[in-house]
Amino acid sequence: MQNLKKLVEEAWEDRNLLANRDYTTAIETVIQGLDKGEMRVAEPIAHRWHTHEWIKKAVILYFPIRNMEEISVGPFVFHDKMKLKTDYKKTGVRVVPHAIARYGAYLAKGVIMMPSYVNIGAYVDEGTMVDTWATVGSCAQVGKHCHLSGGVGIGGVLEPVQASPVIIEDNCFLGSRAIVVEGVHLEKEVVLGANVVLTASTKIIDVTGDRPVEYKGIVPERSVVIPGSYTKTFPAGDYQVPCALIIGKRKESTDKKTSLNDALRENNVAV
């Protein structure tokens, strides 16, 4: 691993080295590791998430060493530098036409892809459903038994390399057309209602107590979140600006589906 990292870092500093087979092989080895789930762009280490910048660099460097080629799938024709994932039957992944995942993305056993898209470097763990027209961007990390409802947008990140990817931990539920971008982190069992938009600068306000508690870039575990707004003063006057409101908590339960349904009913969350 250290030798791979050394070669990638050297090629990052001097792109002329990409003409050397040792360096291209190192980059290809990293992408293969991502595709098989043997490597991850980000992972929890000692209860904290750590981003491996050098692996992101390998993903970026993979583009210039690839040639554009035509890919035919029945009557459908694509023209790209990246291969598509294969061996879904062997890996136990259900892929409904017209779902697409790029080579270099990892889909664990039991993942279901409705017509949707998963980009290179992404990690989607077991039992997660990527529903119709949902997208999982480059390097995004999605945990076990999550549900990304129709039209959900999970942002990707390659550059700048020091930027953190979006992280969705286990057993999260994202309602229709919810958007999570710019490295926002959802802790375990979070529920996002329909149309919630979370960016790095979005105010996430817990309104369940006597006083509001504000977060940015992270949603605490088991939070139930809906779209909201607050008043902001501009030179032209006062206007409503979007935010997200934490209106409750999912109950701790070993039955995640029951817990999810209860959270939705009790808080009247649209999905």
Side-chain angles (χ1 to χ4, degrees):
M1 190 74 75
Q2 287 302 314
N3 187 52
L4 285 177
K5 181 177 180 180
K6 176 177 177 293
L7 292 170
V8 168
E9 294 283 14
E10 289 175 355
W12 181 259
E13 295 300 325
D14 182 2
R15 303 300 171 92
N16 291 322
L17 294 174
L18 295 178
N20 186 310
R21 185 58 186 162
D22 288 343
Y23 290 91
T24 58
T25 298
I27 294 165
E28 290 167 351
T29 300
V30 173
I31 303 305
Q32 182 181 59
L34 289 171
D35 190 76
K36 295 180 179 299
E38 298 166 352
M39 295 182 183
R40 297 180 65 168
V41 169
E43 60 183 330
I45 300 174
H47 307 292
R48 292 184 61 187
W49 280 83
H50 179 75
T51 301
H52 302 292
E53 292 181 11
W54 73 274
I55 295 181
K56 287 176 67 179
K57 290 175 180 177
V59 175
I60 296 169
L61 292 171
Y62 189 57
F63 286 86
I65 67 172
R66 299 286 301 169
N67 294 318
M68 294 290 289
E69 61 182 42
E70 190 172 276
I71 304 169
S72 298
V73 185
F76 301 99
V77 177
F78 306 96
H79 189 224
D80 192 19
K81 290 188 173 185
M82 299 296 160
K83 297 184 292 184
L84 301 180
K85 284 186 73 68
T86 56
D87 295 335
Y88 289 123
K89 182 177 181 179
K90 181 180 178 181
T91 55
V93 175
R94 180 183 174 190
V95 181
V96 176
H98 300 272
I100 292 176
R102 262 175 155 180
Y103 176 73
Y106 175 67
L107 304 176
K109 183 178 180 180
V111 166
I112 299 173
M113 285 184 65
M114 300 303 283
S116 54
Y117 185 82
V118 179
N119 208 348
I120 186 171
Y123 186 104
V124 183
D125 216 335
E126 64 182 52
T128 285
M129 172 175 277
V130 185
D131 220 327
T132 305
W133 308 136
T135 57
V136 180
S138 54
C139 302
Q141 306 292 299
V142 182
K144 296 179 174 67
H145 306 294
C146 294
H147 189 130
L148 311 182
S149 299
V152 161
I154 305 300
V157 61
L158 286 176
E159 295 186 272
V161 293
Q162 66 271 22
S164 298
V166 170
I167 296 171
I168 312 292
E169 293 195 28
D170 297 347
N171 298 299
C172 287
F173 180 95
L174 281 66
S176 298
R177 301 306 190 269
I179 296 173
V180 185
V181 297
E182 296 178 354
V184 170
H185 181 172
L186 306 189
E187 294 185 343
K188 294 180 180 179
E189 301 178 36
V190 164
V191 177
L192 298 187
N195 296 311
V196 170
V197 177
L198 299 179
T199 71
S201 60
T202 301
K203 287 187 177 184
I204 302 162
I205 307 171
D206 188 333
V207 295
T208 60
D210 295 335
R211 294 184 178 183
V213 178
E214 187 176 311
Y215 302 88
K216 280 189 179 179
I218 189 165
V219 180
E221 65 181 38
R222 297 196 303 278
S223 296
V224 179
V225 185
I226 64 169
S229 65
Y230 66 97
T231 303
K232 186 172 181 178
T233 300
F234 296 91
D238 295 341
Y239 294 91
Q240 295 301 303
V241 175
C243 68
L245 302 177
I246 298 173
I247 61 169
K249 293 283 188 180
R250 287 174 69 171
K251 295 176 181 177
E252 290 190 65
S253 172
T254 53
D255 186 343
K256 304 302 180 186
K257 290 183 180 179
T258 299
S259 175
L260 170 59
N261 291 335
D262 287 345
L264 298 175
R265 281 195 293 264
E266 289 170 5
N267 295 285
N268 296 315
V269 176
V271 297

